Structures are given as structure tokens and as C-alpha cells.
Amino acid sequence: MELNKNIQQPLYQQLMVKIRDKIRSGEYKPGDKIPTEKDLSISYDVSRITVRRTIEELCNQGYLSKYQGKGTFVEAPKIYRKIEQNNNMSFTETCVANGRKPSSHILLCEITDMLPGQNEFFQMDESNRIYHIQRILSADDLPLIFEDVYIPQYRIPNFDVSRLENASLFQLLNQEYHIPKSTKGRSIIEIATATFEKATNLRIAVGEPVMLLESYIYDHDDKPLYISKENIVGSRYRLSI
């Protein structure tokens, strides 16, 4: 597996090609831990400095991610999703458009009081109750989003949360409650850091930066439908605003 030291192409670039080829061929799969710097240095007969630069470049390109004390892991190709006025793609639609298999897992479902400020969007009295649904959204079984959904109880009476396991919220609202999907919405993006709970469920390091996407979704009659708060693993996702 030695590199060609007699050509002009730098050794770190040659090594990048080798590792990228292993990722693209499936020899290194998303989530796999690659060999250590020492092992790569021995395998390809190059210095640790060359290996380190290679890994840094591949991390910058989104192929790898380094986690302190754990090693370097292969990242799945980033998912591309549109969050635009009159074109707010659902997670399921996004996965299908990217050739990935969507799935979801319910962590929590409870009926609770509205949080401060939510009544302004829902245009309801504060005494009205809402569902709080917490779930993990994954693509090809790799967790991407830790989501909190808030929806008024009256919009989904006799709600069976098990119907939402590995299912699309938009499709459930349309098929079970006859609320057609609307592309209208308003979104706010911030940068946050992953708490222990979110990091554990997303399989990332505690304190790792995440995108916090807060969306206010309407139904086909332009009436407030639900609020979604998504903690998104930035290294696995791209948004078009």
C-alpha cells in the first residue's frame, strides 16, 4: 500500500485519494473507525505529519470526523435539505431526494401546558393543552436530528403515538387527520451545543456544535399547525435557506 514518492503529487494528497476510495467503495462504512495515525503511517510508509494533514483535510471535506479520546470515524455523505419560503421539505422527503432511507424513533409523548410564547403562534388560550413529542430522525440508521414537536391536542384527538414510529408526521396528519400538507412555514436557525442527552441519542460528543432549527408550520388553510425544534448534527447535514 506504499505511495508513489517519485511523482509531483504530494503524499498527503495521494493518501487522501486512497482513503476516499475506501470510503466510496464501502470498505470504510459510515460510522466505522479508521486506523490510527500510527497504523496508517506504517501501512503507507509516510510520516505521522503527512497522515495528520490527510485526516485534517478529509475532516474539512466532510468524509471524516475526529472525536477526542475516541478516534477518527467515517461520516455519511451530508443530506441536503431545502428550508425556504413556500418550499419547506419534510425530513422524509429530504431523505428520499438524497437516496437515503428515513426512519424515526419516539423518545417521549406527553400532554402538557404550552411553553411561554407558544400561544402567540397557536392563537389559543394558555389553558389549552398541547402534545409534546420527542423523537430521533435517522437516515440509513444514522441519527441526524433530535426533534421536539409541539402540536395542539385538539388538532390530533385520540392520538396514537405508536403510529408515528418510523413514520412521517406530514403523512400521518394527512392520512389520519385529513390535514393536507402545507409548504408554508417560518424557520429560525441558531448554533447550539449538544447536551449529554442529545449527544447520546445522536451518537456525537457532548458539547459538539449542532444547528438548532425552530420551525413554525401551518396547515393548508394557513392556520397554525405545529412547532418543531430540531437539533441537527451539522457534520451530517446541509440546509438551503
Side-chain angles (χ1 to χ4, degrees), residues 62 75-83 89-95 98 100 137-139 142-145 189 211 213 230-240:
E75 282 291 348
K78 287 189 177 184
I79 280 189
Y80 176 76
R81 176 182 174 188
K82 289 183 179 180
I83 304 292
M89 294 179 70
S90 71
F91 177 76
T92 299
E93 290 172 327
T94 300
C95 285
N98 284 267
R100 310 283 286 279
L137 307 180
S138 302
L142 183 68
L144 300 178
I145 299 173
I189 295 181
M211 292 183 287
L213 177 66
E230 303 176 44
N231 287 263
I232 305 171
V233 182
S235 60
R236 302 169 186 168
Y237 219 80
R238 287 193 305 151
L239 294 174
S240 172

PDB file of all heavy atoms in Angstrom, residues 62 75-83 89-95 98 100 137-139 142-145 189 211 213 230-240:
ATOM      1  N   GLY A  62     -15.660  16.719   5.004  1.00  0.00           N
ATOM      2  CA  GLY A  62     -16.849  16.019   5.476  1.00  0.00           C
ATOM      3  C   GLY A  62     -16.798  14.513   5.385  1.00  0.00           C
ATOM      4  O   GLY A  62     -17.779  13.836   5.698  1.00  0.00           O
ATOM      5  N   GLU A  75     -17.770   9.600   8.162  1.00  0.00           N
ATOM      6  CA  GLU A  75     -19.065  10.273   8.178  1.00  0.00           C
ATOM      7  C   GLU A  75     -19.882   9.859   6.955  1.00  0.00           C
ATOM      8  O   GLU A  75     -19.329   9.606   5.887  1.00  0.00           O
ATOM      9  CB  GLU A  75     -18.891  11.794   8.162  1.00  0.00           C
ATOM     10  CG  GLU A  75     -18.524  12.377   9.509  1.00  0.00           C
ATOM     11  CD  GLU A  75     -19.651  12.292  10.515  1.00  0.00           C
ATOM     12  OE1 GLU A  75     -20.800  11.985  10.123  1.00  0.00           O
ATOM     13  OE2 GLU A  75     -19.382  12.530  11.705  1.00  0.00           O
ATOM     14  N   ALA A  76     -21.206   9.808   7.135  1.00  0.00           N
ATOM     15  CA  ALA A  76     -22.081   9.576   5.991  1.00  0.00           C
ATOM     16  C   ALA A  76     -22.112  10.840   5.140  1.00  0.00           C
ATOM     17  O   ALA A  76     -21.896  11.945   5.656  1.00  0.00           O
ATOM     18  CB  ALA A  76     -23.485   9.237   6.472  1.00  0.00           C
ATOM     19  N   PRO A  77     -22.365  10.704   3.830  1.00  0.00           N
ATOM     20  CA  PRO A  77     -22.498  11.904   2.990  1.00  0.00           C
ATOM     21  C   PRO A  77     -23.578  12.817   3.558  1.00  0.00           C
ATOM     22  O   PRO A  77     -24.614  12.352   4.038  1.00  0.00           O
ATOM     23  CB  PRO A  77     -22.923  11.333   1.628  1.00  0.00           C
ATOM     24  CG  PRO A  77     -22.449   9.916   1.642  1.00  0.00           C
ATOM     25  CD  PRO A  77     -22.551   9.467   3.068  1.00  0.00           C
ATOM     26  N   LYS A  78     -23.319  14.112   3.525  1.00  0.00           N
ATOM     27  CA  LYS A  78     -24.282  15.048   4.099  1.00  0.00           C
ATOM     28  C   LYS A  78     -25.598  15.038   3.333  1.00  0.00           C
ATOM     29  O   LYS A  78     -25.620  14.916   2.110  1.00  0.00           O
ATOM     30  CB  LYS A  78     -23.707  16.468   4.094  1.00  0.00           C
ATOM     31  CG  LYS A  78     -22.614  16.691   5.113  1.00  0.00           C
ATOM     32  CD  LYS A  78     -22.252  18.162   5.201  1.00  0.00           C
ATOM     33  CE  LYS A  78     -21.198  18.392   6.274  1.00  0.00           C
ATOM     34  NZ  LYS A  78     -20.884  19.814   6.447  1.00  0.00           N
ATOM     35  N   ILE A  79     -26.688  15.165   4.084  1.00  0.00           N
ATOM     36  CA  ILE A  79     -28.013  15.280   3.475  1.00  0.00           C
ATOM     37  C   ILE A  79     -28.274  16.745   3.164  1.00  0.00           C
ATOM     38  O   ILE A  79     -27.955  17.625   3.967  1.00  0.00           O
ATOM     39  CB  ILE A  79     -29.095  14.717   4.428  1.00  0.00           C
ATOM     40  CG1 ILE A  79     -29.102  13.203   4.327  1.00  0.00           C
ATOM     41  CG2 ILE A  79     -30.446  15.280   4.126  1.00  0.00           C
ATOM     42  CD1 ILE A  79     -30.247  12.542   5.035  1.00  0.00           C
ATOM     43  N   TYR A  80     -28.846  17.000   2.003  1.00  0.00           N
ATOM     44  CA  TYR A  80     -29.160  18.360   1.562  1.00  0.00           C
ATOM     45  C   TYR A  80     -30.661  18.573   1.673  1.00  0.00           C
ATOM     46  O   TYR A  80     -31.450  17.792   1.155  1.00  0.00           O
ATOM     47  CB  TYR A  80     -28.705  18.557   0.122  1.00  0.00           C
ATOM     48  CG  TYR A  80     -29.076  19.896  -0.463  1.00  0.00           C
ATOM     49  CD1 TYR A  80     -28.374  21.045  -0.117  1.00  0.00           C
ATOM     50  CD2 TYR A  80     -30.139  20.013  -1.347  1.00  0.00           C
ATOM     51  CE1 TYR A  80     -28.703  22.272  -0.650  1.00  0.00           C
ATOM     52  CE2 TYR A  80     -30.490  21.243  -1.884  1.00  0.00           C
ATOM     53  CZ  TYR A  80     -29.768  22.368  -1.538  1.00  0.00           C
ATOM     54  OH  TYR A  80     -30.113  23.583  -2.056  1.00  0.00           O
ATOM     55  N   ARG A  81     -31.066  19.633   2.354  1.00  0.00           N
ATOM     56  CA  ARG A  81     -32.489  19.894   2.607  1.00  0.00           C
ATOM     57  C   ARG A  81     -32.817  21.358   2.382  1.00  0.00           C
ATOM     58  O   ARG A  81     -32.072  22.237   2.799  1.00  0.00           O
ATOM     59  CB  ARG A  81     -32.832  19.509   4.052  1.00  0.00           C
ATOM     60  CG  ARG A  81     -34.257  19.824   4.492  1.00  0.00           C
ATOM     61  CD  ARG A  81     -34.402  19.418   5.940  1.00  0.00           C
ATOM     62  NE  ARG A  81     -35.666  19.780   6.526  1.00  0.00           N
ATOM     63  CZ  ARG A  81     -35.943  19.657   7.831  1.00  0.00           C
ATOM     64  NH1 ARG A  81     -35.026  19.168   8.638  1.00  0.00           N
ATOM     65  NH2 ARG A  81     -37.113  20.014   8.310  1.00  0.00           N
ATOM     66  N   LYS A  82     -33.936  21.606   1.704  1.00  0.00           N
ATOM     67  CA  LYS A  82     -34.398  22.972   1.465  1.00  0.00           C
ATOM     68  C   LYS A  82     -35.322  23.430   2.583  1.00  0.00           C
ATOM     69  O   LYS A  82     -36.295  22.770   2.907  1.00  0.00           O
ATOM     70  CB  LYS A  82     -35.138  23.067   0.133  1.00  0.00           C
ATOM     71  CG  LYS A  82     -34.246  22.950  -1.097  1.00  0.00           C
ATOM     72  CD  LYS A  82     -35.069  23.141  -2.363  1.00  0.00           C
ATOM     73  CE  LYS A  82     -34.178  23.052  -3.589  1.00  0.00           C
ATOM     74  NZ  LYS A  82     -34.977  23.232  -4.836  1.00  0.00           N
ATOM     75  N   ILE A  83     -34.998  24.564   3.200  1.00  0.00           N
ATOM     76  CA  ILE A  83     -35.869  25.221   4.168  1.00  0.00           C
ATOM     77  C   ILE A  83     -36.078  26.624   3.630  1.00  0.00           C
ATOM     78  O   ILE A  83     -35.360  27.558   3.981  1.00  0.00           O
ATOM     79  CB  ILE A  83     -35.249  25.265   5.580  1.00  0.00           C
ATOM     80  CG1 ILE A  83     -34.898  23.852   6.042  1.00  0.00           C
ATOM     81  CG2 ILE A  83     -36.202  25.927   6.562  1.00  0.00           C
ATOM     82  CD1 ILE A  83     -36.082  22.961   6.309  1.00  0.00           C
ATOM     83  N   MET A  89     -39.180  21.441   2.846  1.00  0.00           N
ATOM     84  CA  MET A  89     -39.173  19.989   2.678  1.00  0.00           C
ATOM     85  C   MET A  89     -39.242  19.279   4.023  1.00  0.00           C
ATOM     86  O   MET A  89     -38.585  19.670   4.985  1.00  0.00           O
ATOM     87  CB  MET A  89     -37.912  19.541   1.941  1.00  0.00           C
ATOM     88  CG  MET A  89     -37.819  20.005   0.501  1.00  0.00           C
ATOM     89  SD  MET A  89     -36.272  19.446  -0.285  1.00  0.00           S
ATOM     90  CE  MET A  89     -36.590  17.679  -0.422  1.00  0.00           C
ATOM     91  N   SER A  90     -40.034  18.207   4.077  1.00  0.00           N
ATOM     92  CA  SER A  90     -40.081  17.384   5.272  1.00  0.00           C
ATOM     93  C   SER A  90     -38.830  16.515   5.331  1.00  0.00           C
ATOM     94  O   SER A  90     -38.101  16.355   4.339  1.00  0.00           O
ATOM     95  CB  SER A  90     -41.321  16.491   5.260  1.00  0.00           C
ATOM     96  OG  SER A  90     -41.191  15.468   4.279  1.00  0.00           O
ATOM     97  N   PHE A  91     -38.583  15.916   6.504  1.00  0.00           N
ATOM     98  CA  PHE A  91     -37.407  15.063   6.655  1.00  0.00           C
ATOM     99  C   PHE A  91     -37.503  13.850   5.736  1.00  0.00           C
ATOM    100  O   PHE A  91     -36.521  13.468   5.091  1.00  0.00           O
ATOM    101  CB  PHE A  91     -37.271  14.608   8.110  1.00  0.00           C
ATOM    102  CG  PHE A  91     -36.118  13.672   8.342  1.00  0.00           C
ATOM    103  CD1 PHE A  91     -34.818  14.139   8.389  1.00  0.00           C
ATOM    104  CD2 PHE A  91     -36.331  12.309   8.493  1.00  0.00           C
ATOM    105  CE1 PHE A  91     -33.745  13.279   8.588  1.00  0.00           C
ATOM    106  CE2 PHE A  91     -35.267  11.444   8.695  1.00  0.00           C
ATOM    107  CZ  PHE A  91     -33.971  11.926   8.741  1.00  0.00           C
ATOM    108  N   THR A  92     -38.692  13.234   5.657  1.00  0.00           N
ATOM    109  CA  THR A  92     -38.880  12.062   4.800  1.00  0.00           C
ATOM    110  C   THR A  92     -38.618  12.410   3.344  1.00  0.00           C
ATOM    111  O   THR A  92     -37.913  11.680   2.627  1.00  0.00           O
ATOM    112  CB  THR A  92     -40.298  11.497   4.956  1.00  0.00           C
ATOM    113  OG1 THR A  92     -40.496  11.082   6.319  1.00  0.00           O
ATOM    114  CG2 THR A  92     -40.518  10.298   4.047  1.00  0.00           C
ATOM    115  N   GLU A  93     -39.161  13.523   2.878  1.00  0.00           N
ATOM    116  CA  GLU A  93     -38.936  13.963   1.505  1.00  0.00           C
ATOM    117  C   GLU A  93     -37.451  14.208   1.251  1.00  0.00           C
ATOM    118  O   GLU A  93     -36.916  13.873   0.184  1.00  0.00           O
ATOM    119  CB  GLU A  93     -39.720  15.245   1.226  1.00  0.00           C
ATOM    120  CG  GLU A  93     -41.215  15.061   1.162  1.00  0.00           C
ATOM    121  CD  GLU A  93     -41.939  16.391   1.070  1.00  0.00           C
ATOM    122  OE1 GLU A  93     -41.451  17.381   1.647  1.00  0.00           O
ATOM    123  OE2 GLU A  93     -42.996  16.431   0.427  1.00  0.00           O
ATOM    124  N   THR A  94     -36.788  14.794   2.236  1.00  0.00           N
ATOM    125  CA  THR A  94     -35.366  15.083   2.110  1.00  0.00           C
ATOM    126  C   THR A  94     -34.559  13.806   1.941  1.00  0.00           C
ATOM    127  O   THR A  94     -33.671  13.719   1.086  1.00  0.00           O
ATOM    128  CB  THR A  94     -34.870  15.859   3.342  1.00  0.00           C
ATOM    129  OG1 THR A  94     -35.594  17.082   3.448  1.00  0.00           O
ATOM    130  CG2 THR A  94     -33.385  16.157   3.246  1.00  0.00           C
ATOM    131  N   CYS A  95     -34.846  12.794   2.766  1.00  0.00           N
ATOM    132  CA  CYS A  95     -34.119  11.527   2.678  1.00  0.00           C
ATOM    133  C   CYS A  95     -34.332  10.870   1.318  1.00  0.00           C
ATOM    134  O   CYS A  95     -33.380  10.398   0.686  1.00  0.00           O
ATOM    135  CB  CYS A  95     -34.569  10.586   3.794  1.00  0.00           C
ATOM    136  SG  CYS A  95     -33.940  11.013   5.428  1.00  0.00           S
ATOM    137  N   ASN A  98     -32.417  12.429  -1.376  1.00  0.00           N
ATOM    138  CA  ASN A  98     -30.978  12.175  -1.264  1.00  0.00           C
ATOM    139  C   ASN A  98     -30.634  10.689  -1.390  1.00  0.00           C
ATOM    140  O   ASN A  98     -29.486  10.296  -1.164  1.00  0.00           O
ATOM    141  CB  ASN A  98     -30.447  12.710   0.066  1.00  0.00           C
ATOM    142  CG  ASN A  98     -30.292  14.222   0.083  1.00  0.00           C
ATOM    143  OD1 ASN A  98     -29.223  14.750  -0.205  1.00  0.00           O
ATOM    144  ND2 ASN A  98     -31.361  14.928   0.403  1.00  0.00           N
ATOM    145  N   ARG A 100     -31.642   8.214   0.529  1.00  0.00           N
ATOM    146  CA  ARG A 100     -31.405   7.625   1.848  1.00  0.00           C
ATOM    147  C   ARG A 100     -32.717   7.078   2.418  1.00  0.00           C
ATOM    148  O   ARG A 100     -33.809   7.540   2.059  1.00  0.00           O
ATOM    149  CB  ARG A 100     -30.824   8.671   2.803  1.00  0.00           C
ATOM    150  CG  ARG A 100     -29.634   9.436   2.250  1.00  0.00           C
ATOM    151  CD  ARG A 100     -28.365   8.619   2.277  1.00  0.00           C
ATOM    152  NE  ARG A 100     -27.873   8.528   3.635  1.00  0.00           N
ATOM    153  CZ  ARG A 100     -27.169   9.485   4.233  1.00  0.00           C
ATOM    154  NH1 ARG A 100     -26.874  10.603   3.583  1.00  0.00           N
ATOM    155  NH2 ARG A 100     -26.738   9.340   5.452  1.00  0.00           N
ATOM    156  N   LEU A 137     -34.635  11.369  14.425  1.00  0.00           N
ATOM    157  CA  LEU A 137     -34.797  11.142  12.995  1.00  0.00           C
ATOM    158  C   LEU A 137     -33.464  10.671  12.421  1.00  0.00           C
ATOM    159  O   LEU A 137     -32.428  11.291  12.656  1.00  0.00           O
ATOM    160  CB  LEU A 137     -35.248  12.425  12.295  1.00  0.00           C
ATOM    161  CG  LEU A 137     -36.499  13.110  12.870  1.00  0.00           C
ATOM    162  CD1 LEU A 137     -36.825  14.374  12.085  1.00  0.00           C
ATOM    163  CD2 LEU A 137     -37.682  12.160  12.868  1.00  0.00           C
ATOM    164  N   SER A 138     -33.498   9.576  11.662  1.00  0.00           N
ATOM    165  CA  SER A 138     -32.273   8.968  11.142  1.00  0.00           C
ATOM    166  C   SER A 138     -32.381   8.741   9.643  1.00  0.00           C
ATOM    167  O   SER A 138     -33.475   8.623   9.094  1.00  0.00           O
ATOM    168  CB  SER A 138     -32.002   7.625  11.835  1.00  0.00           C
ATOM    169  OG  SER A 138     -31.886   7.771  13.236  1.00  0.00           O
ATOM    170  N   ALA A 139     -31.219   8.666   9.002  1.00  0.00           N
ATOM    171  CA  ALA A 139     -31.121   8.309   7.593  1.00  0.00           C
ATOM    172  C   ALA A 139     -30.161   7.136   7.490  1.00  0.00           C
ATOM    173  O   ALA A 139     -29.028   7.216   7.973  1.00  0.00           O
ATOM    174  CB  ALA A 139     -30.621   9.486   6.762  1.00  0.00           C
ATOM    175  N   LEU A 142     -28.444   6.170  10.653  1.00  0.00           N
ATOM    176  CA  LEU A 142     -27.511   7.093  11.285  1.00  0.00           C
ATOM    177  C   LEU A 142     -28.308   8.285  11.815  1.00  0.00           C
ATOM    178  O   LEU A 142     -28.957   8.995  11.049  1.00  0.00           O
ATOM    179  CB  LEU A 142     -26.466   7.575  10.279  1.00  0.00           C
ATOM    180  CG  LEU A 142     -25.372   8.494  10.845  1.00  0.00           C
ATOM    181  CD1 LEU A 142     -24.472   7.724  11.797  1.00  0.00           C
ATOM    182  CD2 LEU A 142     -24.544   9.105   9.713  1.00  0.00           C
ATOM    183  N   PRO A 143     -28.316   8.510  13.137  1.00  0.00           N
ATOM    184  CA  PRO A 143     -29.121   9.615  13.702  1.00  0.00           C
ATOM    185  C   PRO A 143     -28.632  10.975  13.240  1.00  0.00           C
ATOM    186  O   PRO A 143     -27.433  11.260  13.287  1.00  0.00           O
ATOM    187  CB  PRO A 143     -28.968   9.439  15.215  1.00  0.00           C
ATOM    188  CG  PRO A 143     -27.715   8.651  15.391  1.00  0.00           C
ATOM    189  CD  PRO A 143     -27.591   7.769  14.190  1.00  0.00           C
ATOM    190  N   LEU A 144     -29.578  11.811  12.809  1.00  0.00           N
ATOM    191  CA  LEU A 144     -29.247  13.143  12.304  1.00  0.00           C
ATOM    192  C   LEU A 144     -29.881  14.249  13.117  1.00  0.00           C
ATOM    193  O   LEU A 144     -29.307  15.329  13.257  1.00  0.00           O
ATOM    194  CB  LEU A 144     -29.708  13.287  10.847  1.00  0.00           C
ATOM    195  CG  LEU A 144     -29.136  12.330   9.812  1.00  0.00           C
ATOM    196  CD1 LEU A 144     -29.766  12.610   8.454  1.00  0.00           C
ATOM    197  CD2 LEU A 144     -27.636  12.448   9.728  1.00  0.00           C
ATOM    198  N   ILE A 145     -31.099  13.997  13.639  1.00  0.00           N
ATOM    199  CA  ILE A 145     -31.874  15.071  14.254  1.00  0.00           C
ATOM    200  C   ILE A 145     -32.518  14.603  15.556  1.00  0.00           C
ATOM    201  O   ILE A 145     -33.128  13.528  15.608  1.00  0.00           O
ATOM    202  CB  ILE A 145     -32.990  15.565  13.297  1.00  0.00           C
ATOM    203  CG1 ILE A 145     -32.382  16.119  12.013  1.00  0.00           C
ATOM    204  CG2 ILE A 145     -33.864  16.620  13.961  1.00  0.00           C
ATOM    205  CD1 ILE A 145     -33.413  16.471  10.944  1.00  0.00           C
ATOM    206  N   ILE A 189     -32.791  29.753  12.604  1.00  0.00           N
ATOM    207  CA  ILE A 189     -31.633  28.884  12.812  1.00  0.00           C
ATOM    208  C   ILE A 189     -30.650  29.534  13.783  1.00  0.00           C
ATOM    209  O   ILE A 189     -30.353  30.721  13.674  1.00  0.00           O
ATOM    210  CB  ILE A 189     -30.916  28.586  11.487  1.00  0.00           C
ATOM    211  CG1 ILE A 189     -31.824  27.781  10.561  1.00  0.00           C
ATOM    212  CG2 ILE A 189     -29.630  27.807  11.718  1.00  0.00           C
ATOM    213  CD1 ILE A 189     -31.189  27.435   9.245  1.00  0.00           C
ATOM    214  N   MET A 211     -26.827  22.465  14.775  1.00  0.00           N
ATOM    215  CA  MET A 211     -27.730  23.502  14.275  1.00  0.00           C
ATOM    216  C   MET A 211     -29.073  23.354  14.965  1.00  0.00           C
ATOM    217  O   MET A 211     -29.625  22.250  15.038  1.00  0.00           O
ATOM    218  CB  MET A 211     -27.905  23.368  12.760  1.00  0.00           C
ATOM    219  CG  MET A 211     -26.674  23.683  11.959  1.00  0.00           C
ATOM    220  SD  MET A 211     -26.965  23.600  10.152  1.00  0.00           S
ATOM    221  CE  MET A 211     -27.087  21.818   9.920  1.00  0.00           C
ATOM    222  N   LEU A 213     -32.753  24.305  14.566  1.00  0.00           N
ATOM    223  CA  LEU A 213     -33.731  24.797  13.590  1.00  0.00           C
ATOM    224  C   LEU A 213     -35.117  24.791  14.228  1.00  0.00           C
ATOM    225  O   LEU A 213     -35.658  23.735  14.552  1.00  0.00           O
ATOM    226  CB  LEU A 213     -33.729  23.919  12.343  1.00  0.00           C
ATOM    227  CG  LEU A 213     -34.756  24.271  11.260  1.00  0.00           C
ATOM    228  CD1 LEU A 213     -34.445  25.631  10.642  1.00  0.00           C
ATOM    229  CD2 LEU A 213     -34.787  23.186  10.190  1.00  0.00           C
ATOM    230  N   GLU A 230     -35.528  21.338  16.036  1.00  0.00           N
ATOM    231  CA  GLU A 230     -34.626  20.278  15.617  1.00  0.00           C
ATOM    232  C   GLU A 230     -33.180  20.609  15.986  1.00  0.00           C
ATOM    233  O   GLU A 230     -32.680  21.671  15.642  1.00  0.00           O
ATOM    234  CB  GLU A 230     -34.708  20.078  14.104  1.00  0.00           C
ATOM    235  CG  GLU A 230     -36.101  19.774  13.581  1.00  0.00           C
ATOM    236  CD  GLU A 230     -36.140  19.687  12.069  1.00  0.00           C
ATOM    237  OE1 GLU A 230     -35.240  19.053  11.487  1.00  0.00           O
ATOM    238  OE2 GLU A 230     -37.056  20.277  11.468  1.00  0.00           O
ATOM    239  N   ASN A 231     -32.549  19.696  16.698  1.00  0.00           N
ATOM    240  CA  ASN A 231     -31.109  19.765  16.940  1.00  0.00           C
ATOM    241  C   ASN A 231     -30.443  18.876  15.894  1.00  0.00           C
ATOM    242  O   ASN A 231     -30.576  17.653  15.926  1.00  0.00           O
ATOM    243  CB  ASN A 231     -30.775  19.280  18.351  1.00  0.00           C
ATOM    244  CG  ASN A 231     -31.174  20.277  19.417  1.00  0.00           C
ATOM    245  OD1 ASN A 231     -30.358  21.056  19.886  1.00  0.00           O
ATOM    246  ND2 ASN A 231     -32.452  20.261  19.801  1.00  0.00           N
ATOM    247  N   ILE A 232     -29.743  19.493  14.942  1.00  0.00           N
ATOM    248  CA  ILE A 232     -29.242  18.799  13.762  1.00  0.00           C
ATOM    249  C   ILE A 232     -27.722  18.659  13.831  1.00  0.00           C
ATOM    250  O   ILE A 232     -27.012  19.627  14.115  1.00  0.00           O
ATOM    251  CB  ILE A 232     -29.620  19.575  12.482  1.00  0.00           C
ATOM    252  CG1 ILE A 232     -31.146  19.797  12.425  1.00  0.00           C
ATOM    253  CG2 ILE A 232     -29.143  18.847  11.253  1.00  0.00           C
ATOM    254  CD1 ILE A 232     -31.575  20.735  11.320  1.00  0.00           C
ATOM    255  N   VAL A 233     -27.238  17.457  13.552  1.00  0.00           N
ATOM    256  CA  VAL A 233     -25.794  17.221  13.506  1.00  0.00           C
ATOM    257  C   VAL A 233     -25.243  17.899  12.254  1.00  0.00           C
ATOM    258  O   VAL A 233     -25.458  17.430  11.134  1.00  0.00           O
ATOM    259  CB  VAL A 233     -25.477  15.721  13.486  1.00  0.00           C
ATOM    260  CG1 VAL A 233     -23.954  15.511  13.482  1.00  0.00           C
ATOM    261  CG2 VAL A 233     -26.094  15.023  14.688  1.00  0.00           C
ATOM    262  N   GLY A 234     -24.540  18.996  12.432  1.00  0.00           N
ATOM    263  CA  GLY A 234     -24.083  19.787  11.305  1.00  0.00           C
ATOM    264  C   GLY A 234     -23.135  19.054  10.377  1.00  0.00           C
ATOM    265  O   GLY A 234     -23.118  19.296   9.173  1.00  0.00           O
ATOM    266  N   SER A 235     -22.349  18.140  10.904  1.00  0.00           N
ATOM    267  CA  SER A 235     -21.380  17.417  10.078  1.00  0.00           C
ATOM    268  C   SER A 235     -22.063  16.416   9.155  1.00  0.00           C
ATOM    269  O   SER A 235     -21.419  15.852   8.262  1.00  0.00           O
ATOM    270  CB  SER A 235     -20.362  16.688  10.963  1.00  0.00           C
ATOM    271  OG  SER A 235     -21.017  15.755  11.811  1.00  0.00           O
ATOM    272  N   ARG A 236     -23.372  16.193   9.358  1.00  0.00           N
ATOM    273  CA  ARG A 236     -24.093  15.208   8.551  1.00  0.00           C
ATOM    274  C   ARG A 236     -25.209  15.831   7.721  1.00  0.00           C
ATOM    275  O   ARG A 236     -25.987  15.113   7.100  1.00  0.00           O
ATOM    276  CB  ARG A 236     -24.700  14.133   9.468  1.00  0.00           C
ATOM    277  CG  ARG A 236     -23.682  13.407  10.326  1.00  0.00           C
ATOM    278  CD  ARG A 236     -24.321  12.558  11.405  1.00  0.00           C
ATOM    279  NE  ARG A 236     -23.293  11.991  12.278  1.00  0.00           N
ATOM    280  CZ  ARG A 236     -23.558  11.404  13.445  1.00  0.00           C
ATOM    281  NH1 ARG A 236     -24.803  11.324  13.878  1.00  0.00           N
ATOM    282  NH2 ARG A 236     -22.583  10.908  14.163  1.00  0.00           N
ATOM    283  N   TYR A 237     -25.280  17.158   7.697  1.00  0.00           N
ATOM    284  CA  TYR A 237     -26.463  17.814   7.145  1.00  0.00           C
ATOM    285  C   TYR A 237     -26.103  19.155   6.523  1.00  0.00           C
ATOM    286  O   TYR A 237     -25.214  19.856   7.001  1.00  0.00           O
ATOM    287  CB  TYR A 237     -27.445  18.068   8.299  1.00  0.00           C
ATOM    288  CG  TYR A 237     -28.901  17.854   7.982  1.00  0.00           C
ATOM    289  CD1 TYR A 237     -29.458  16.582   7.971  1.00  0.00           C
ATOM    290  CD2 TYR A 237     -29.734  18.921   7.726  1.00  0.00           C
ATOM    291  CE1 TYR A 237     -30.805  16.395   7.723  1.00  0.00           C
ATOM    292  CE2 TYR A 237     -31.087  18.740   7.467  1.00  0.00           C
ATOM    293  CZ  TYR A 237     -31.611  17.461   7.467  1.00  0.00           C
ATOM    294  OH  TYR A 237     -32.945  17.279   7.212  1.00  0.00           O
ATOM    295  N   ARG A 238     -26.798  19.498   5.440  1.00  0.00           N
ATOM    296  CA  ARG A 238     -26.682  20.834   4.842  1.00  0.00           C
ATOM    297  C   ARG A 238     -28.078  21.405   4.635  1.00  0.00           C
ATOM    298  O   ARG A 238     -28.995  20.684   4.241  1.00  0.00           O
ATOM    299  CB  ARG A 238     -25.973  20.764   3.482  1.00  0.00           C
ATOM    300  CG  ARG A 238     -24.498  20.498   3.549  1.00  0.00           C
ATOM    301  CD  ARG A 238     -23.838  20.747   2.207  1.00  0.00           C
ATOM    302  NE  ARG A 238     -24.472  19.958   1.145  1.00  0.00           N
ATOM    303  CZ  ARG A 238     -24.517  20.325  -0.126  1.00  0.00           C
ATOM    304  NH1 ARG A 238     -24.006  21.495  -0.486  1.00  0.00           N
ATOM    305  NH2 ARG A 238     -25.080  19.562  -1.030  1.00  0.00           N
ATOM    306  N   LEU A 239     -28.220  22.686   4.923  1.00  0.00           N
ATOM    307  CA  LEU A 239     -29.514  23.356   4.754  1.00  0.00           C
ATOM    308  C   LEU A 239     -29.415  24.447   3.701  1.00  0.00           C
ATOM    309  O   LEU A 239     -28.436  25.157   3.631  1.00  0.00           O
ATOM    310  CB  LEU A 239     -29.979  23.989   6.076  1.00  0.00           C
ATOM    311  CG  LEU A 239     -30.325  23.045   7.218  1.00  0.00           C
ATOM    312  CD1 LEU A 239     -30.625  23.854   8.486  1.00  0.00           C
ATOM    313  CD2 LEU A 239     -31.514  22.172   6.872  1.00  0.00           C
ATOM    314  N   SER A 240     -30.467  24.555   2.888  1.00  0.00           N
ATOM    315  CA  SER A 240     -30.596  25.662   1.945  1.00  0.00           C
ATOM    316  C   SER A 240     -31.690  26.579   2.456  1.00  0.00           C
ATOM    317  O   SER A 240     -32.841  26.161   2.609  1.00  0.00           O
ATOM    318  CB  SER A 240     -30.958  25.140   0.542  1.00  0.00           C
ATOM    319  OG  SER A 240     -31.269  26.212  -0.313  1.00  0.00           O
TER     320      SER A 240
END
